[in-house]
């Protein structure tokens, strides 16, 4: 079931990535909600990803965080589905993984107890905060012992699916959805 959902949503996200203006509008709407949230306002260290083109663009999020004096950390993956978060700003040297993901190469690792908020990526999301990820299980493993806040930024293309969460699946604390705004 998750494989079919993943494939369907990734196709939708690829199609949306071809409509750059529409995608940017949706992302801006969702980011505005995040930036107004207590989770964001109270966070000093924020974990996020360096997004690929079909994913939610985290560049504006990272820029906003740095402007607000927050510290950004992004994941670096290791064998056996493990990952850790490392310091990132736009000047950091990056390395492309075999998955095509960019990761920092520095040694400034942040422990789970040092991160206030993690923006958890995903492919599809349930209203309860469960997610279909990219299939590696990295975030489920990492979040098992994470005590900070978690949230996800959810495009309309990523909703409307249902599946039974597996025992190891962990929901995020909050989902930020695109909200239609009335234009006069």
């Amino acid at each position: 079931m998750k494989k079919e959902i993943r494939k369907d949503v990734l196709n939708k996200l690829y199609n949306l990535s071809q409509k750059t203006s529409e995608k940017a509008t949706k992302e801006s709407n969702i980011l505005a909600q995040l930036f107004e949230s207590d989770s964001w306002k109270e966070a000093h260290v924020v974990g996020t990803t360096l997004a690929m083109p079909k994913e939610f663009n985290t560049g504006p999020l990272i820029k906003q965080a740095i402007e607000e004096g927050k510290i950004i950390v992004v994941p670096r993956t290791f064998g056996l589905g493990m990952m850790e978060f490392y310091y990132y700003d736009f000047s950091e040297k990056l390395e492309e993984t075999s998955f095509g993901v960019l990761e920092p190469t520095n040694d400034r690792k942040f422990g789970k107890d040092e991160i206030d908020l993690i923006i958890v990526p995903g492919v599809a999301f349930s209203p309860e905060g469960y997610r279909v990820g990219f299939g590696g299980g990295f975030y489920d493993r990492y979040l098992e012992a994470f005590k900070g806040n978690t949230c996800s930024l959810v495009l309309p293309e990523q909703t409307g699916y249902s599946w039974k969460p597996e025992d190891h699946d962990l929901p995020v604390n909050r989902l930020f959805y695109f909200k239609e705004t009335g234009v006069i």
Side-chain angles (χ1 to χ4, degrees), residues 146-165:
F146 180 70
K147 303 293 185 218
N149 283 324
T150 58
C151 70
S152 293
L153 310 174
V154 184
L155 294 161
E157 290 77 6
Q158 298 175 289
T159 63
Y161 296 87
S162 61
W163 66 93
K164 182 175 176 6

Side-chain angles (χ1 to χ4, degrees), residues 51-62:
M52 295 173 70
K54 67 180 172 256
E55 296 178 289
F56 194 106
N57 180 6
T58 55
L61 179 153
I62 294 167

Side-chain angles (χ1 to χ4, degrees), residues 8-9 12-13 16 22 26 123 154-159 161:
D8 189 45
V9 175
K12 288 180 179 180
L13 291 175
L16 179 62
E22 178 183 340
K26 289 177 179 179
V123 177
V154 184
L155 294 161
E157 290 77 6
Q158 298 175 289
T159 63
Y161 296 87

Side-chain angles (χ1 to χ4, degrees), residues 35-136:
F35 297 152
E36 288 299 314
S37 73
D38 288 341
S39 297
W40 177 264
K41 289 178 181 176
E42 295 168 5
H44 179 63
V45 179
V46 178
T48 190
T49 59
L50 299 175
M52 295 173 70
K54 67 180 172 256
E55 296 178 289
F56 194 106
N57 180 6
T58 55
L61 179 153
I62 294 167
K63 182 177 183 288
Q64 179 74 24
I66 292 170
E67 286 175 2
E68 291 183 23
K70 297 181 187 302
I71 295 171
I72 286 291
V73 293
V74 297
R76 199 158 85 197
T77 56
F78 302 93
L80 305 173
M82 305 305 289
M83 73 177 188
E84 297 290 342
F85 281 83
Y86 289 79
Y87 176 81
Y88 177 75
D89 66 24
F90 291 110
S91 68
E92 293 296 317
K93 183 175 185 256
L94 301 171
E95 184 174 271
E96 188 172 335
T97 69
S98 59
F99 299 113
V101 176
L102 295 174
E103 296 181 348
T105 60
N106 68 63
D107 60 359
R108 295 177 61 190
K109 182 171 91 167
F110 280 68
K112 292 180 184 185
D113 60 338
E114 297 176 283
I115 304 170
D116 303 307
L117 173 66
I118 294 180
I119 316 284
V120 182
V123 177
F125 296 89
S126 75
E128 300 80 27
Y130 289 98
R131 50 186 270 289
V132 172
F134 290 89

